[in-house]
Amino acid sequence: MHHGGGGGAIRVLNVAEKPSVAKSVAEILSRPSGGMRSREGRSRYNRVFEFDYSIGGRACHMLVTSVTGHLMELEFDDRFRRWHSCDPADLFHAPVRKSVPQDKQDIKRTLEEEARKCQWLVLWLDCDREGENIAYEVIDICAGANSRLNIWRARFSALIDREIHEAVQHLDRPNKLFADAVDARQEIDLRIGASFTRFQTMLLKDAFVLDDTGDDRNIILSYGPCQFPTLGFIVERFWEIQAHEPEEFWTINCSHTSDEGTASFGWIRGHLFDYSSAVVIYEMCVEEPMATVQNVRNQEKLKYPPYPLSTIELQKRASRYFRMSSEHTMKVAEELYQAGFISYPRTETDNFSPNTDLHSIVHEQVAHPNWGTYAQRLLDPEARLWRNPSNGGHDDKAHPPIHPTKFSAGETNWTDNHKKLYELVVRHFLACCSQPAVGAETTVEIDIAGEQFNASGRVVLAKNYLDVYRFDSWGGTLLPTYIIGQQFVPTTLTLDSGMTRPPPLLAEADLLGIGTDATMHDHIKKLLDRCYATKDANTRFSPTNLGEALVMGYDEMGYELWKPYLRSMMEADMKSVSIGTKSKSEVLENCLQQMKACFLDARANKVKLFDAMGTFFARSSRPVNETQNSIETVRPCAACNESEMFLKQRPTGEFMVGCRGFPQCRNVVWLPRSLSGAAVTDQVCPTCAPGPVYKIQFKFRRRDIPPNFDVDHLGCIGGCDDILKELMELSRFGSHSQTATPARNQSQTASGVRQGSSRQDLHTSFHPAVQFTNGQTPVVNPQGFRSTHTQSSGNASGQVQCTSCREPCVLRTANTEANRGRKFYKCQNLACGFFAWEDDVENSAPRGRGGRGRGGRSSSRQSSASASAGRRGGTQGRGRRGRGRNADGMMFVAATGEPVYGSCFICGDPTHFANVCPNLGR
C-alpha cells in the first residue's frame, strides 16, 4: 500500500456502518496511545471519536464516525411516486435516483464537514456486497465535499484487536463491482416490487372484503421477488397436504426375546396396500413360523461433525434447537458481533481459510466451566481429537464462517437467548474441529416362510465431537448375538395396519434451507406482516386465504412467479456483475425486459387473480369513490395533451376509458355495458394517432350481441376499428332492457339492472338492429334507451313534453359561438337531462349519418339519443364538434374517435360543459 509523501500527520476520516462499530474500532485503535476524545456530530446518534495513530509508520490523526446502514435510498422521480400517477408498467423504465432521505441529512452534513478537513477516507463498512455499496454511498458524499481525498478500504470480520489492527495496516481499495451488483439488485427489486405491488393492490384491495387483514383499509398487497417465492413454498406444501388422501396399508412385524435382550424385526417389503395379499403372506408365516438367520453384518460407522457455521445454518439450528425465529436469531447475533464476541454473522462461507489460526480460537475457550475441559483435550496432541474442519464448498469471498472471537462465561447484560446463541456458536466451532463419532453397527437378516425381515443395532465406540456438541445424538439399540444358520421361533408375529400420512407443514428451519440468501429471515417476517402466512407455536407455517389466493391466481396464469427459478437467475446475474463477467446495464436490461413481459401477461390475465380471490373472499360493496381498480394506459389524451387515457372498470361493472387529468380534463369514452371484460394489451394500433394507441381485448356477453359476432374481439378505440364500432352500437342497442341507466326516480337494483327486466326483452330487442338494408348503419341510442319521443311529442298547445318525466319542457336560447341564438327544449328536471333543438322538433328531419330521409324510425331514434344522452349528465367528456354530428347537434367526437354525449347542466347547451359555460355565475 502506497501512503503518499509529505510531512506532518495525516488527517484520516474513518467511517463505520453503525455507531457501535465506530465506537469499538476507535476504542481498539486508540488503546496503544490512549487519549481518545469524543464529540457530537450533526447527528446526536453518530458521534465523532478522535485520537492519534500510526499507519505504516506514518503519523495519523484519526477521526472515526459512522452511518446507520444505507445512507441513500433508491426511489422513482416524484412524478412516478404517487400510485395513480402512471401505469404500473411504466415503472419498469421510469427514471430512478439515489438520494439521501431527510432523516439522514444530519449524517450527510457530518461527513461533508469532516471530509473537507481530511486527506484520507478509510471505509470500515461490513465486508460484503451490501457493505461495499454503502461504502460507495459514503464516497459519493465525501468526495463531493473534497475531491482530493485518498480513499481506502479496511477489511475485517470481527471486532477484536487482532483483526482491527491487521485491517488498518493492510488497507485495500473499494470494490466497485460489488457495489454495482447491489445497485442492480436494488433497482430490479424496486421496479418489480413496485409494479406488481401497485397492480395487485389497485386491482384487488377494494374489490374484495379481505377478512384475513381485519378492517385495515390501508393494506398493501405487496409483491417481492424474494418474498413471493418463499410464500410459494408454503402454499405448495399446503396444497400437497390438502391433496393427500389417506390410504390404509398393512405390514408384518415380529420380535424375538432372549436372555441378551429383545430384537424387533421389520418386513423387507415395508407394507402392502392390498389387504388380501397381506393376509395370505401373514398366514404363510404363521403356519411356518420358524425363523432362520441368513446374514449378520458388523461394520464400523462414522458420524461426522457439522460444517463450519454459515448464516443460514445458524438460523436453522437456532430454530430447531431453541425455537428462536430467524429474525430474532439475527438480532441477537448482530448484538454479539458488535460486542466483539462472535465474528460477522452474515456469511455464506462454510469453510475456513488455511491461514486462520484455529488453535488460538480454541485456546480462548479453555477457561470456560462447561466446555473448557473439552477445548483442552482438543488441543492435546496425545488425545488425537483434533481434525481440521471439513470444507462445505461455499465461500462468499467476504467473511469466514461464524466463530467465537472472545471468551465469555456469560455477560451480566445477556439474556437467555444471548447465552444460548453464544453457546451454539462456540460448541459448533469446537465440534467442527473434532474427530467424527465412531460406532459399530450390526444388521441381522432372517427368513420366515420365504419372507425377509431385518433388524439393526448400534453401539457408540467413541463419541468424540458428540461430547461437546450436545445438540446432536446418535442413538441405537444393542442387538442380541445371532449367528448365520441359527433358527428360532419369533416371540411375536403380528399383522398391523396403518394409514399413510401427509407431509408436515414447513417449519421455519425448512424455509431457511431453500436458498443461500442471508436475508431470508426478512422475507419470512414480511410474509407474516403482510398476512400472507401464519406461524404456530412449533414454528410451522400455513398460508392465509390471501396468500393462497395470490399464489393460486398466478399459478392459473401459467406463470410460475411464485417459484424460485426467476430469483435464482437474478442472483446468478448479480454474482456475474460482482466478478465482472456481466455489466450492470446488461443485467438490468435483460432482467427487466423479461419481468416486464411477465407483468404485461399477468395484467392481461388478471381475471385469473379475480377468480382466485373470489374463491376465498366476498366481493366488496364499497362506494364508487372508494373503489380503485387497476389502471391501464390506452393512449395519450388529445384533449389536454398532458396526460393519458386509461381503462378502468367501475364497481357497477361498466368499463370506461378516461383521462388521468380528471377533473381538469374530462375526456372520456364510455364503453358498452354489454362487455363482461376488457384488458389493455401491448399491441399498438399502426394507424391511429396521436399514439401509441394500445389495442384492448374485449369480451362481450353472448346474450347481448347477435349470434354472427364473436364474443372476443381485439379492438382499437382510436376510430379505425369498424367491427368494434358496429359491435358497440349493436350491443348498446340490444342490451337496453338490462343496462339502461334509469332516472333518479326509478327503482334500480345494486347491480344497476332495472327491476322487472326480462330475458325475453334482451332477445327480441335485436330485431331492429339486424334488419337493415342497403348496408346502412342506423343511428342508435348509445345507451340502449328505446325512445317514445316522436314528431308529435308536444301537447295540444305546441309545448314539447319530456319523454321521461312527462312534464312540459322549457324553451331556452344557446349562447355559444357556434349556436348563438338557436333555441332548444330542456326538461325542467336537471336530473333527467332531456334535450332537443327547436328546429329539429318542428321539422323532424334527420341530418346525421345513417338517416333515411325525413321522419320515420331514424328521426325517432335520434331524438331518443338526445334524451338518453342527457341522462348521463354533462361530465362524459370535453369533446368538440366534428364529423358525424347528428341533426340535433348534440354529438361530439372525442380524441378516441368515438362520439361523446352530454350537455351543460347550467344552460343546457350540448356544445360545452358547465365548467366553461358563459352563463356561469350569472
Side-chain angles (χ1 to χ4, degrees):
M1 180 182 71
H2 175 66
H3 300 297
I10 301 172
R11 288 183 66 87
V12 181
L13 175 60
N14 299 264
V15 182
E17 189 162 324
K18 302 176 184 70
S20 59
V21 176
K23 183 179 180 182
S24 297
V25 169
E27 288 176 345
I28 291 172
L29 294 180
S30 64
R31 282 193 195 116
S33 60
M36 182 181 77
R37 299 173 302 282
S38 172
R39 57 183 169 86
E40 285 191 354
R42 291 286 184 175
S43 168
R44 61 192 180 99
Y45 302 106
N46 303 83
R47 299 185 68 83
V48 181
F49 304 93
E50 293 189 52
F51 54 92
D52 293 327
Y53 189 75
S54 176
I55 301 179
R58 183 72 180 273
C60 299
H61 183 70
M62 308 285 276
L63 295 91
V64 183
T65 187
S66 63
V67 292
T68 51
H70 276 283
L71 183 60
M72 298 182 176
E73 291 180 355
L74 186 69
E75 57 189 2
F76 293 104
D77 282 356
D78 290 341
R79 63 180 294 256
F80 294 96
R81 295 179 68 181
R82 289 180 295 107
W83 274 47
H84 300 283
S85 62
C86 68
D87 181 347
D90 294 343
L91 299 178
F92 282 94
H93 52 76
V96 293
R97 67 170 187 270
K98 229 179 180 185
S99 59
V100 179
Q102 189 60 40
D103 62 341
K104 295 189 177 181
Q105 287 292 328
D106 287 342
I107 300 176
K108 176 187 175 184
R109 282 192 285 270
T110 298
L111 294 178
E112 290 174 335
E113 291 173 0
E114 302 299 335
R116 292 190 185 102
K117 300 178 288 186
C118 293
Q119 291 83 47
W120 283 15
L121 171 65
V122 178
L123 302 157
W124 293 84
L125 289 309
D126 292 342
C127 298
D128 53 11
R129 292 183 199 168
E130 209 73 32
E132 212 71 15
N133 189 264
I134 301 173
Y136 272 89
E137 294 174 357
V138 174
I139 292 172
D140 187 58
I141 298 299
C142 294
N146 182 358
S147 60
R148 298 182 301 277
L149 280 173
N150 195 354
I151 300 171
W152 297 99
R153 183 72 159 94
R155 304 199 181 277
F156 63 103
S157 293
L159 291 171
I160 56 177
D161 292 32
R162 180 182 68 252
E163 288 252 359
I164 298 302
H165 286 290
E166 180 77 11
V168 78
Q169 296 298 336
H170 297 84
L171 296 175
D172 197 359
R173 296 295 185 183
N175 188 334
K176 187 66 166 65
L177 295 178
F178 274 24
D180 284 347
V182 175
D183 279 340
R185 178 186 56 75
Q186 287 179 342
E187 186 169 341
I188 288 171
D189 287 353
L190 174 66
R191 294 185 184 279
I192 295 175
S195 57
F196 275 94
T197 297
R198 291 188 190 183
F199 163 63
Q200 290 179 171
T201 304
M202 292 190 295
L203 178 69
L204 303 173
K205 183 186 74 170
D206 287 337
F208 296 92
V209 180
L210 303 180
D211 50 13
D212 279 346
T213 62
D215 194 33
D216 185 3
R217 298 297 298 279
N218 296 319
I219 184 71
I220 301 296
L221 303 183
S222 71
Y223 178 97
C226 293
Q227 161 198 328
F228 217 69
T230 307
L231 173 62
F233 278 100
I234 297 173
V235 173
E236 189 172 33
R237 173 59 63 86
F238 185 72
W239 286 348
E240 290 174 2
I241 295 172
Q242 286 187 316
H244 175 77
E245 295 184 5
E247 190 173 359
E248 191 173 12
F249 63 82
W250 288 265
T251 186
I252 302 173
N253 294 306
C254 70
S255 66
H256 177 235
T257 302
S258 67
D259 294 340
E260 298 181 66
T262 300
S264 298
F265 293 86
W267 195 14
I268 292 292
R269 294 180 187 267
H271 53 255
L272 293 179
F273 291 101
D274 185 82
Y275 175 71
S276 299
S277 299
V279 169
V280 168
I281 296 173
Y282 174 68
E283 289 179 346
M284 290 170 52
C285 294
V286 171
E287 291 176 1
E288 300 179 16
M290 185 61 70
T292 303
V293 178
Q294 291 189 320
N295 193 14
V296 178
R297 293 196 308 272
N298 294 294
Q299 56 183 350
E300 184 180 86
K301 288 285 187 178
L302 300 178
K303 183 174 178 64
Y304 286 92
Y307 292 126
L309 197 58
S310 65
T311 302
I312 293 296
E313 203 60 34
L314 174 68
Q315 293 171 321
K316 290 171 63 176
R317 291 176 185 261
S319 173
R320 187 180 304 127
Y321 304 150
F322 312 132
R323 290 290 186 262
M324 287 175 61
S325 71
S326 54
E327 179 193 10
H328 187 62
T329 297
M330 294 309 298
K331 178 179 181 296
V332 173
E334 287 278 358
E335 291 170 355
L336 291 174
Y337 159 70
Q338 292 175 19
F341 290 101
I342 67 172
S343 63
Y344 188 64
R346 298 178 186 273
T347 177
E348 296 178 10
T349 304
D350 54 11
N351 64 88
F352 283 103
S353 165
N355 300 324
T356 305
D357 189 353
L358 301 175
H359 288 79
S360 295
I361 302 174
V362 174
H363 189 269
E364 290 180 345
Q365 301 297 327
V366 169
H368 198 278
N370 294 334
W371 53 79
T373 303
Y374 184 87
Q376 185 65 56
R377 285 178 53 211
L378 195 58
L379 295 172
D380 185 1
E382 294 184 2
R384 306 183 70 176
L385 187 57
W386 181 273
R387 174 178 174 271
N388 287 329
S390 300
N391 189 333
H394 302 93
D395 189 352
D396 61 14
K397 307 297 183 184
H399 294 285
I402 303 168
H403 61 274
T405 55
K406 186 165 59 175
F407 170 81
S408 176
E411 305 300 305
T412 56
N413 62 337
W414 280 7
T415 65
D416 285 343
N417 286 332
H418 285 83
K419 296 175 183 177
K420 289 177 181 177
L421 209 62
Y422 180 74
E423 179 182 358
L424 173 60
V425 170
V426 175
R427 288 186 182 272
H428 194 101
F429 172 74
L430 296 175
C432 71
C433 295
S434 304
Q435 292 287 347
V438 181
E441 186 172 276
T442 300
T443 303
V444 179
E445 298 176 0
I446 63 173
D447 178 277
I448 303 176
E451 289 300 304
Q452 308 299 311
F453 299 82
N454 65 14
S456 294
R458 181 188 305 113
V459 58
V460 178
L461 303 178
K463 296 185 69 175
N464 294 334
Y465 90 91
L466 291 176
D467 280 331
V468 71
Y469 206 60
R470 63 179 182 84
F471 313 109
D472 266 2
S473 61
W474 199 25
T477 57
L478 187 63
L479 293 179
T481 302
Y482 293 95
I483 60 174
I484 297 176
Q486 177 183 347
Q487 291 188 325
F488 59 88
V489 176
T491 306
T492 62
L493 188 63
T494 60
L495 178 63
D496 301 319
S497 65
M499 301 292 291
T500 57
R501 295 182 178 181
L505 290 168
L506 287 171
E508 186 156 1
D510 301 319
L511 287 175
L512 291 165
I514 65 176
T516 57
D517 190 348
T519 60
M520 181 59 67
H521 63 283
D522 291 329
H523 313 324
I524 295 173
K525 182 178 183 299
K526 286 179 181 177
L527 293 182
L528 300 175
D529 292 343
R530 300 299 190 191
C531 300
Y532 289 171
T534 59
K535 182 172 67 171
D536 63 19
N538 294 319
T539 70
R540 295 194 175 274
F541 289 81
S542 298
T544 62
N545 288 340
L546 180 58
E548 186 178 357
L550 291 174
V551 171
M552 180 186 295
Y554 285 112
D555 186 56
E556 288 293 326
M557 293 178 189
Y559 265 96
E560 295 186 329
L561 295 174
W562 53 281
K563 292 283 192 178
Y565 314 130
L566 286 173
R567 187 63 189 184
S568 297
M569 290 189 290
M570 291 180 200
E571 290 298 336
D573 282 342
M574 299 309 106
K575 186 173 183 179
S576 298
V577 173
S578 68
I579 62 177
T581 56
K582 287 186 179 180
S583 68
K584 170 185 166 183
S585 59
E586 177 186 0
V587 167
L588 282 173
E589 181 180 0
N590 293 339
C591 181
L592 294 177
Q593 183 178 12
Q594 179 188 28
M595 288 307 300
K596 184 175 182 180
C598 290
F599 175 84
L600 294 175
D601 279 355
R603 190 170 65 177
N605 290 280
K606 64 184 179 183
V607 67
K608 303 291 187 182
L609 272 177
F610 260 102
D611 291 344
M613 291 289 289
T615 304
F616 297 92
F617 301 101
R619 290 299 298 264
S620 172
S621 58
R622 288 167 185 158
V624 174
N625 61 354
E626 295 187 32
T627 303
Q628 296 182 6
N629 290 324
S630 62
I631 296 179
E632 300 179 329
T633 299
V634 178
R635 64 172 303 168
C637 179
C640 65
N641 294 318
E642 293 180 355
S643 193
E644 295 173 320
M645 306 282 287
F646 66 93
L647 175 67
K648 184 176 181 180
Q649 185 178 16
R650 304 179 70 193
T652 56
E654 301 167 284
F655 289 89
M656 58 174 280
V657 178
C659 181
R660 282 200 184 93
F662 180 86
Q664 287 75 21
C665 179
R666 298 175 179 267
N667 192 11
V668 68
V669 176
W670 294 94
L671 299 177
R673 296 183 177 179
S674 56
L675 284 173
S676 63
V680 180
T681 69
D682 57 357
Q683 298 187 39
V684 178
C685 178
T687 58
C688 291
V693 180
Y694 292 96
K695 294 186 177 181
I696 300 176
Q697 183 66 53
F698 295 101
K699 190 174 186 65
F700 292 84
R701 286 186 289 270
R702 167 52 65 193
R703 66 184 183 182
D704 292 343
I705 62 173
N708 56 315
F709 286 94
D710 292 331
V711 293
D712 295 305
H713 178 70
L714 180 64
C716 172
I717 66 164
C720 67
D721 192 337
D722 293 332
I723 295 178
L724 178 60
K725 289 178 182 177
E726 191 171 1
L727 268 173
M728 290 175 73
E729 292 187 346
L730 291 174
S731 63
R732 285 168 176 166
F733 183 81
S735 61
H736 72 278
S737 62
Q738 182 187 25
T739 62
T741 303
R744 294 187 183 182
N745 60 348
Q746 291 176 313
S747 62
Q748 187 178 18
T749 66
S751 61
V753 180
R754 197 181 296 180
Q755 298 284 355
S757 300
S758 67
R759 293 186 60 84
Q760 183 65 26
D761 292 338
L762 299 178
H763 294 285
T764 57
S765 64
F766 280 125
H767 296 305
V770 297
Q771 295 177 350
F772 300 132
T773 59
N774 302 325
Q776 293 177 318
T777 303
V779 176
V780 297
N781 185 329
Q783 281 195 315
F785 284 94
R786 191 183 298 277
S787 174
T788 59
H789 179 68
T790 62
Q791 187 173 352
S792 59
S793 294
N795 56 18
S797 64
Q799 175 68 51
V800 173
Q801 188 180 59
C802 173
T803 58
S804 297
C805 304
R806 302 300 178 187
E807 296 293 331
C809 294
V810 295
L811 186 64
R812 292 181 176 173
T813 303
N815 195 34
T816 61
E817 181 178 352
N819 291 290
R820 195 180 308 277
R822 193 178 182 191
K823 297 184 181 297
F824 60 91
Y825 290 102
K826 183 79 171 65
C827 183
Q828 299 180 65
N829 181 2
L830 294 179
C832 172
F834 172 82
F835 169 88
W837 289 110
E838 180 187 47
D839 50 0
D840 285 345
V841 173
E842 294 172 353
N843 300 327
S844 299
R847 291 178 288 183
R849 61 188 178 97
R852 293 186 176 186
R854 306 179 70 86
R857 288 164 59 184
S858 179
S859 174
S860 173
R861 287 175 188 154
Q862 279 184 283
S863 299
S864 170
S866 301
S868 60
R871 296 189 185 104
R872 285 190 281 185
T875 60
Q876 305 304 314
R878 189 174 293 268
R880 58 183 181 275
R881 299 190 63 177
R883 59 183 177 84
R885 183 171 63 88
N886 283 343
D888 57 14
M890 59 77 62
M891 180 182 291
F892 308 101
V893 179
T896 59
E898 289 298 316
V900 177
Y901 303 87
S903 62
C904 172
F905 71 83
I906 294 178
C907 70
D909 193 332
T911 61
H912 66 260
F913 291 97
N915 60 326
V916 292
C917 180
N919 296 317
L920 186 65
R922 292 184 181 180

